[in-house]
Amino acid sequence: MDILETIIANKRLEMARQKEAVPLDLLLNLGSKRLDCKTVSVRQALERSRSGVIAEFKRRSPSKGWLHPNAKVKDVVPAYEKGGASACSILTDSDFFGGSFTDLQQAHSLAKLPLLRKDFIIDEYQLYQARIMGADAVLLIAASLTKKECKRLATTAHQLELEVLLEVHCEDELSRLNENVDMLGVNNRHLGTFRTDVENSFRLIEYMRSEAGEGREAPLFISESGISAVEVVKRLRDAGFRGFLMGEVFMKTENPGEALAQFIKNMTDEGTENKGLRDA
């Protein structure tokens, strides 16, 4: 069993416990006020941004171990916003990434950045959780879902006014693409082995264009993981990517917000970017 299979098996057990403890009708009742709040478009934030950086809040990873074990949302996410992030990705998986639901809730209350809930989503219940916790978009991992499951989850996400980032690692996984996918991401980290190779984005870009088509209805292209150099971001942008999900390069530093700000300054030759789009 590879790492992804281990995580998904654990996630199924975790979901069963959560649904037993808080059934969906109770979850919806507890979060009814949050469901009335409007979401913010991650896609539009990336389209308007010159940097396209989706800064990630992540304490640990299965491959690297603890990156920043004592990191607090109140210290990092507002600093990401001030430093020029276009959006923020919040890891909510606890067992493998050291995240929590509270991290996403706090991020929503402390920043106006559009927020991506990054987790291993296998059940519609998690989409309702994401909406209630303050997410604006969710990640669907093609390698862990069938084509039918991707379609069902993406449809439900849109019904909840959540945008969808579909993550692929190889050409075959592009078959999971459907009309409810707003952003199409390439994970440069293989989720079975956790080896990273940024060239994976360049290998897949033409297949993505062929599968996704062109025009306003086509998903926005995102490159994820293993990105640490300004020159690489510029190459990716030239190739057609408009979003760059980056976490470890910032979270392994003492001050992730400052590291992000310096990266964007080097990238754009300016010290600021869009400050966030959520209504006050």
Side-chain angles (χ1 to χ4, degrees):
M1 184 179 290
D2 64 24
I3 300 174
L4 179 60
E5 290 174 336
T6 299
I7 292 173
I8 295 300
N10 184 76
K11 190 63 61 177
R12 295 191 190 285
L13 295 174
E14 179 184 306
M15 287 310 308
R17 292 194 298 266
Q18 290 177 5
K19 291 167 75 173
E20 182 178 4
V22 184
L24 181 58
D25 56 350
L26 177 57
L27 178 69
L28 295 177
N29 184 52
L30 292 172
S32 58
K33 291 184 178 179
R34 281 286 182 88
L35 290 172
D36 292 332
C37 295
K38 291 188 176 182
T39 54
V40 178
S41 173
V42 175
R43 176 180 176 138
Q44 288 182 14
L46 295 173
E47 288 175 329
R48 296 170 184 172
S49 169
R50 281 173 298 169
S51 75
V53 173
I54 307 170
E56 189 157 83
F57 181 83
K58 176 170 68 172
R59 295 186 182 91
R60 72 183 299 265
S61 78
S63 59
K64 301 291 180 63
W66 288 101
L67 304 169
H68 202 139
N70 298 316
K72 295 180 173 58
V73 169
K74 68 180 181 65
D75 298 326
V76 176
V77 174
Y80 275 164
E81 182 171 31
K82 183 179 179 181
S86 303
C88 189
S89 168
I90 306 293
L91 264 297
T92 55
D93 178 83
S94 176
D95 292 345
F96 296 91
F97 291 88
S100 71
F101 297 155
T102 302
D103 290 337
L104 182 51
Q105 291 172 316
Q106 287 183 348
H108 178 84
S109 67
L110 292 170
K112 296 180 181 180
L113 286 173
L115 301 174
L116 169 72
R117 181 191 181 184
K118 192 173 180 186
D119 208 317
F120 297 83
I121 292 180
I122 56 174
D123 192 294
E124 286 92 338
Y125 184 89
Q126 294 165 285
L127 301 176
Y128 289 96
Q129 286 178 326
R131 185 69 168 87
I132 288 168
M133 289 185 291
D136 300 294
V138 292
L139 177 75
L140 298 183
I141 301 173
S144 65
L145 301 166
T146 65
K147 184 175 181 178
K148 184 177 180 180
E149 288 169 337
C150 271
K151 179 68 178 290
R152 186 180 73 247
L153 290 168
T155 299
T156 302
H158 269 208
Q159 290 170 350
L160 290 170
E161 300 181 344
L162 293 166
E163 289 185 332
V164 174
L165 168 57
L166 176 65
E167 173 185 292
V168 301
H169 185 268
C170 62
E171 180 186 352
D172 291 345
E173 292 171 2
L174 288 168
S175 65
R176 272 68 153 189
L177 186 63
N178 62 73
E179 66 273 15
N180 289 316
V181 171
D182 304 281
M183 295 160 286
L184 180 58
V186 177
N187 195 339
N188 301 313
R189 176 176 290 114
H190 190 286
L191 289 176
T193 63
F194 271 73
R195 295 191 185 95
T196 302
D197 180 9
V198 177
E199 292 301 314
N200 196 43
S201 287
F202 297 104
R203 283 194 292 267
L204 288 184
I205 187 69
E206 292 305 324
Y207 295 112
M208 294 164 69
R209 285 198 182 99
S210 176
E211 193 72 28
E214 297 181 357
R216 296 182 62 183
E217 301 302 317
L220 198 74
F221 294 163
I222 313 291
S223 182
E224 312 169 32
S225 301
I227 304 168
S228 59
V230 169
E231 293 74 17
V232 172
V233 172
K234 290 180 177 178
R235 284 180 58 215
L236 288 165
R237 182 173 286 279
D238 288 343
F241 291 93
R242 290 295 174 265
F244 313 96
L245 199 154
M246 304 171 61
E248 290 183 8
V249 65
F250 305 136
M251 291 302 300
K252 67 183 181 182
T253 68
E254 185 175 346
N255 192 319
E258 285 186 6
L260 164 75
Q262 185 60 53
F263 187 92
I264 291 179
K265 184 176 186 300
N266 293 341
M267 181 180 169
T268 64
D269 294 325
E270 292 183 19
T272 59
E273 260 288 279
N274 58 299
K275 294 297 185 180
L277 304 172
R278 191 186 307 283
D279 293 336

